[in-house]
Amino acid sequence: EISKKLQIEPDDLMAVMAFESGIDPTTTNSIGATGLIQFMPSTAKELWTTTDALRKMSAVQQLDYVCDYYKSLTGKMKTLGDTYMAVLAGKYSPSIGKPDSYVLWSNGSKQYQYNKGLDINKDGNITKAEATQMLIDRRNTYEKK
């Protein structure tokens, strides 16, 4: 239902949530991001809630916030990469709708340092394709079971 509203593939949304949180709404990472798509405290505030409140919600309850987060991108996310870029790089990222060769971050930037594990070929650039590859690998793991 949510994927239909957002005009995205259900499998793409599930892949993002599986990668970010293992579909566990209580998951919190080392920088304080929480929930199904790892809402940052500032993002939770934009959605009129808090990460503490999100952490106490069931996955079903939290899906309303996932839908609200993505709502402004309805019709713009055509690929798994686009759906993931909205979470990884932010829903205002210029990478949404761009080809997989789009460079997200280059060596020397703070964002590159935080995400350097995504630079698969170690060329000093993280492309949309490289960032998305980990989700594809995770999705393929689930498909094999």
Side-chain angles (χ1 to χ4, degrees):
E1 183 180 312
I2 290 169
S3 296
K4 189 174 183 177
K5 281 183 192 178
L6 299 172
Q7 299 173 20
I8 58 177
E9 291 295 321
D11 191 44
D12 291 351
L13 182 57
M14 290 300 294
V16 170
M17 292 187 297
F19 184 75
E20 288 294 311
S21 67
I23 319 289
D24 179 352
T26 65
T27 297
T28 301
N29 69 19
S30 62
I31 60 171
T34 298
L36 296 173
I37 60 171
Q38 293 295 275
F39 295 97
M40 292 294 293
S42 58
T43 305
K45 187 175 180 179
E46 286 176 24
L47 296 170
W48 300 97
T49 191
T50 65
T51 52
D52 287 336
L54 287 164
R55 194 175 305 108
K56 294 173 185 169
M57 293 178 193
S58 70
V60 172
Q61 291 169 319
Q62 213 177 94
L63 280 172
D64 289 334
Y65 291 90
V66 171
C67 187
D68 285 348
Y69 176 78
Y70 278 114
K71 187 170 40 181
S72 66
L73 296 170
T74 300
K76 297 176 184 172
M77 298 172 289
K78 306 293 184 194
T79 65
L80 171 60
D82 289 340
T83 305
Y84 184 48
M85 291 307 102
V87 172
L88 177 67
K91 66 181 178 178
Y92 304 111
S93 174
S95 63
I96 298 166
K98 294 286 196 297
D100 285 345
S101 59
Y102 183 86
V103 175
L104 297 167
W105 304 295
S106 295
N107 196 2
S109 71
K110 188 185 301 187
Q111 292 89 349
Y112 180 90
Q113 291 307 311
Y114 290 144
N115 296 286
K116 63 184 173 186
L118 298 176
D119 187 1
I120 295 170
N121 64 6
K122 307 295 183 217
D123 68 350
N125 293 308
I126 299 171
T127 64
K128 186 175 174 180
E130 287 175 309
T132 305
Q133 188 59 50
M134 293 183 117
L135 273 80
I136 293 168
D137 293 346
R138 176 75 54 89
R139 182 171 57 191
N140 290 344
T141 299
Y142 284 108
E143 287 178 356
K144 291 176 186 172
K145 291 183 178 179

